[in-house]
Every structure is written in C-alpha cells, then in structure tokens.
Amino acid sequence: MMGVDPIPINWGAKTAAERGPVIVSRHIKTMKYRNAIGAHGGSYCIYRALAVASGNLSEMHRPDFTNTQAPYKFGPNPQWSDPKKIVSLDPWGHLIVENFNNLLEQDVDVRPTIAVTKAHLKMAEIDEALKNGSIVPDDKVVSADGNVSVVKAAVEPVWLLKGVAERFNTSESVLRRALFEDTGGMYPELITRPDMELFLPPIGGLTVYIFGNPEIINKPDTKLTVRVHDECNGSDVFGSDICTCRPYLIYGIEECIKQAQSGGVGIIVYFRKEGRALGEVTKYLVYNARKRQEGGDTALTYFKRTECIAGVKDMRFQAMMPDVLHWLGITRIDRFISMSNMKYEAIVGSGISIINRVDLPDNLIPEDSMVEINAKIADGYFSSKSKPEESDLENTVGRSCQLRAGNAYQIIELATAKFLDGIRATRLLMLESISESPAPLNRCPVGMELLERRRGVG
Ligand SMILES: [Zn+2]
C-alpha cells in the first residue's frame, strides 16, 4: 500500500527549498507527495486528460527539461517571501529545475508553473507608427523593419486558498465549498483535504510582455510603464469595433516601447479573463440585448444589460491581479496605461504606488465603442476629461441590430430555464452521493488499490 505523505509547503519562506515544491501530479512515484489540489496547465488540464483517454499520451510521461530554463534572471524579489503579497501564483514556478533537481532525479514529477522566453513582435500598427514617425527605430527595442524585441513570461495560477479567501473577505471554508459546488463537484479534495492548502484552478493564466531589460524592473530608479489588459478576443485579435480593447492594448505597447527606448521598462500583463471573466457566450448575449433594447444601445444602460444576464456587471475581481506585479518586484509604476478604477485601486491597495494614469487618446476610440467608454467613465473609470452627465449617457448611442423573429426572446428564455433545471438536478444528486460516501474520495483505500493494480506497482 502506498501511503500519503505530502511534502510540506511553507508559503512565504525565504528560499525555494524551505518553501517546498508545489506537487500536483498523480504520477505513480509522485502521488503520495502531492500537496496541491487540481492539475497543471490551467484549463488545458482537460485536454491532457483527453490525450490520456484517447491513448495519445502515456500517463507515465515525464517532461524532459533540457534547455528549457529562462534566458533571463528573475528574482528572487523580497515580495516572494511575503505570504500576503503573492497568493495566486508560485513565485518560484520558473525555477523548478534549479531548486528541485534532487526530487526530479528521484523521479518525482515536479513541474514549472511559469516559463520565460524571448520573442520578436511584428504588428501592423507598429509598422504604421514607424512610417508616420511616432515611433523611431533604435535597433535595440525596435528594428527599422518593425521587429520589436520582448521577453515574455507565461504564468499558470497557483492559489493559496486561505490567502485568496482573505483577499475576497470570506473564509477559506466558504471559498472551498463554493469552488467545489460550482464546478459540479470536480475537486472533492477541496472539502475533504483541508491540509492541502494549494489549488491549481482550471482557468486561464496570464502572460507578461516585457519591453526593455527585464533584469532592472526591480531596481527602484527604473522608470516603468505598465498596462494590465484583460483578454477580449473579439477586439484584440479580430478587430471588433464595439469596444476599445485592441486600440488600448496597441497604445499600451507603443507607450511600453517608448519607455524602453528611454532606458526604462515597459510591461503588458495579459490576463485570460474574457468578457470581464464572464466568458464570450455571456458577452454575446449582452451585445444582442444591448442592441435590441428599447431606446437603443446607450451608455446609460450599458452595465444594466450585463447585470440582467450575468447577475453581476464584472467578475474579473482585480483582487489577485497585483500578485504578478509583486512577482516582478515592482514597487512603483510611473505611467499606468489604464482608465480602470478597479485595477488602479487593487494595485495601490496592494502597496504599489502609481504616479501617472494615462487614458486612451480620443482619436483611438472607435465610434461604436463610445457607449462603453462613456458608461465606464460615468461608473468611475479614470479620465483626464470631464465626467459625462446623465443626458450625455442617454445620447451616447451605438449601432442597433434588427430582430429577425419576433418571438426570439421567449424561445431563448424557455431554453435557458430548461437548461438551468438540468444543472440544478444533477448538482443535487452529486452532492447527495458525495455526502453519503463512506470515506473521503481521495483517501478511499479501495481507490488506491485499484490504481496500484492498474499500474502494476505495489
Ligand atoms: Zn473588448
């Protein structure tokens, strides 16, 4: 029988060795050391399961980390050993081979949750800026043919559950139960293993794009330009004109390039929080509802339509967002390229000072997205211009769209109600069967025996 012997985690310890490795793999020689709930890869863990199920990937596969290390030195920064400053990522996540090679050699499946690499960007807007002279090539940050040099870091979430609960002013047990129930009971260990403090949630992570020398970000006299951007695939990639996402992102990149060219560092943090973390399905439902409502798509009713459908106007909850800035060792942002009050307050509230807030220049705002931008300014977004009055909001009207079938609303409502009933019944059944289960599912000795027999290991 294989015992359970999790390697202790001392979150906030001074060194990686004292902190301990985050272990979540169910690999046969690793299983008993597991100290975290969930799986690697964020939402992609499901694809890994598919690959195993379909016979395309051996569940015994172990990564070969030859030559995968970061090309630049990141940290350690003092923030890494402050257990309150970082609770949603593993600050040592890119230094696995360096710190835990002894475990890797014993065939323990420790994996990185952060990876750092170098890249060149080529974007139409930057070519345009070079042509019109607003960006000047320097052959360091930008070449004459428009290649922009960056260093980028991909970060997967690692949550210290009690720390996350604290950020949201709730208790760890309430958070664990909500995570367990509202994922359809996907992670029983959330409620059966309070000794496991870490959770690798099945959500999108983030990417940091760094313009300039990444090794001076944490130096107090380095001037920093920062934009924190939440994914909007429709605008960022496909150029939809209903919002200001891509224009603001490009403007941020241009400002980052300029900061790097003057000896500072520019940073874009790109979060996978599509549609204010409500997802694209909800987002498109809101678009339709906005365009079809009586009086048209106005700034005055912008947030109301989202609340009607999603129940909240925003689920990005910026409470955990500053963690990545602390990971980078940032203590001051000189130019913050964002109008969001939620982002500003979260960053300043976490102890990083912001010297200047930079709003999006008018000439970069698409006409149809005036609805969004005016609604946000009225709601508290930063703007160097005067706040719109209620009459301005009523008068900010976007394009409308015609309903094809007169009874489309009723049909959608009926289908949604049926769907929700289905979820409710399944959830009840699941909860009942779990509470009736004789032993915590993850500890069930029968389960372990089965596993060992299947893998032929005693
Ligand atoms: Zn957008």
Side-chain angles (χ1 to χ4, degrees):
M1 248 317 274
M2 188 170 62
V4 173
D5 186 19
I7 296 182
I9 287 282
N10 302 300
W11 201 260
K14 285 260 177 293
T15 65
E18 289 168 271
R19 205 291 307 278
V22 174
I23 299 181
V24 75
S25 164
R26 303 178 76 88
H27 191 266
I28 193 72
K29 288 199 180 154
T30 310
M31 185 78 171
K32 70 174 189 174
Y33 300 122
R34 280 176 80 238
N35 55 23
I37 303 163
H40 281 294
S43 55
Y44 298 107
C45 66
I46 303 294
Y47 283 104
R48 187 175 180 277
L50 263 182
V52 170
S54 61
N56 285 293
L57 173 65
S58 157
E59 58 187 335
M60 300 300 282
H61 174 76
R62 293 284 316 282
D64 172 359
F65 294 122
T66 310
N67 291 333
T68 60
Q69 287 91 322
Y72 282 91
K73 193 171 147 30
F74 273 83
N77 290 312
Q79 291 89 331
W80 295 15
S81 48
D82 181 335
K84 302 263 179 193
K85 282 260 188 282
I86 298 176
V87 299
S88 63
L89 58 88
D90 173 8
W92 303 96
H94 57 310
L95 298 170
I96 299 311
V97 177
E98 292 83 344
N99 288 300
F100 302 114
N101 206 32
N102 56 332
L103 289 171
L104 292 172
E105 278 171 359
Q106 292 166 49
D107 217 15
V108 177
D109 192 12
V110 194
R111 298 192 183 194
T113 53
I114 297 178
V116 183
T117 191
K118 287 202 279 189
H120 280 165
L121 312 184
K122 190 92 172 83
M123 303 176 92
E125 288 92 338
I126 303 300
D127 286 340
E128 198 54 42
L130 284 170
K131 241 184 260 165
N132 70 29
S134 65
I135 287 179
V136 182
D138 62 346
D139 279 328
K140 236 175 112 190
V141 184
V142 191
S143 69
D145 55 0
N147 272 312
V148 184
S149 299
V150 292
V151 171
K152 55 185 181 179
V155 181
E156 283 170 9
V158 177
W159 289 3
L160 176 70
L161 286 164
K162 65 177 175 212
V164 172
E166 212 176 290
R167 295 275 177 95
F168 286 86
N169 297 316
T170 184
S171 71
E172 186 181 345
S173 60
V174 168
L175 174 68
R176 280 175 178 261
R177 182 148 280 276
L179 286 170
F180 169 69
E181 289 190 7
D182 279 280
T183 53
M186 254 168 91
Y187 300 99
E189 285 166 327
L190 283 166
I191 52 170
T192 60
R193 290 290 301 272
D195 61 308
M196 281 191 174
E197 297 185 304
L198 301 177
F199 177 44
L200 276 61
I203 57 173
L206 65 92
T207 313
V208 188
Y209 280 83
I210 299 162
F211 304 76
N213 179 2
E215 289 177 353
I216 61 167
I217 294 173
N218 57 6
K219 304 277 182 287
D221 48 1
T222 302
K223 289 258 186 285
L224 296 179
T225 289
V226 174
R227 170 159 177 80
V228 176
H229 188 94
D230 294 324
E231 176 175 29
C232 173
N233 186 268
S235 169
D236 293 346
V237 179
F238 289 95
S240 162
D241 70 342
I242 199 171
C243 55
T244 54
C245 299
R246 183 174 170 96
Y248 221 157
L249 177 62
I250 302 289
Y251 180 62
I253 291 173
E254 290 182 7
E255 291 299 302
C256 283
I257 290 172
K258 288 174 188 168
Q259 186 67 274
Q261 287 182 327
S262 62
V265 179
I267 296 161
I268 304 275
V269 185
Y270 192 90
F271 276 91
R272 300 319 187 293
K273 289 182 186 171
E274 178 59 63
R276 292 189 222 135
L278 301 167
E280 271 196 326
V281 170
T282 299
K283 187 179 192 174
Y284 293 0
L285 296 176
V286 171
Y287 285 162
N288 285 342
R290 272 174 57 189
K291 297 289 182 187
R292 284 168 183 160
Q293 68 193 322
E294 219 175 305
D297 181 23
T298 72
L300 191 63
T301 55
Y302 173 78
F303 286 115
K304 251 183 231 157
R305 296 313 313 165
T306 307
E307 276 182 71
C308 286
I309 292 166
V312 291
K313 66 180 176 191
D314 199 317
M315 286 204 304
R316 285 176 291 179
F317 305 120
Q318 302 293 347
M320 296 187 282
M321 173 270 285
D323 287 22
V324 63
L325 306 176
H326 293 298
W327 175 67
L328 291 163
I330 295 174
T331 53
R332 188 199 66 245
I333 294 169
D334 296 276
R335 287 168 62 73
F336 185 52
I337 315 291
S338 169
M339 292 159 74
S340 165
N341 50 331
M342 288 170 72
K343 289 176 187 165
Y344 174 81
E345 280 155 21
I347 292 172
V348 172
S350 79
I352 295 172
S353 53
I354 291 180
I355 311 298
N356 292 301
R357 300 168 78 178
V358 185
D359 52 357
L360 184 62
D362 277 350
N363 62 325
L364 297 178
I365 303 175
E367 202 183 322
D368 199 45
S369 67
M370 283 308 292
V371 173
E372 178 210 277
I373 204 97
N374 273 348
K376 284 179 169 177
I377 293 169
D379 195 55
Y381 267 51
F382 167 75
S383 172
S384 51
K385 296 172 279 292
S386 61
K387 241 187 185 193
E389 303 288 329
E390 190 161 317
S391 59
D392 298 329
L393 296 178
E394 259 173 313
N395 293 331
T396 310
V397 183
R399 269 196 314 268
S400 66
C401 93
Q402 297 295 318
L403 255 187
R404 280 205 192 152
N407 59 351
Y409 282 118
Q410 287 93 320
I411 294 168
I412 290 168
E413 261 168 41
L414 271 177
T416 313
K418 267 191 213 155
F419 176 61
L420 288 178
D421 274 347
I423 292 178
R424 228 171 274 140
T426 319
R427 198 171 109 167
L428 256 176
L429 282 174
M430 254 182 213
L431 282 176
E432 266 168 25
S433 63
I434 283 168
S435 61
E436 279 163 14
S437 147
L441 294 180
N442 61 308
R443 276 186 186 159
C444 181
V446 183
M448 290 303 281
E449 273 165 22
L450 274 177
L451 192 73
E452 281 160 28
R453 215 176 305 140
R454 198 171 95 208
R455 287 171 172 160
V457 178

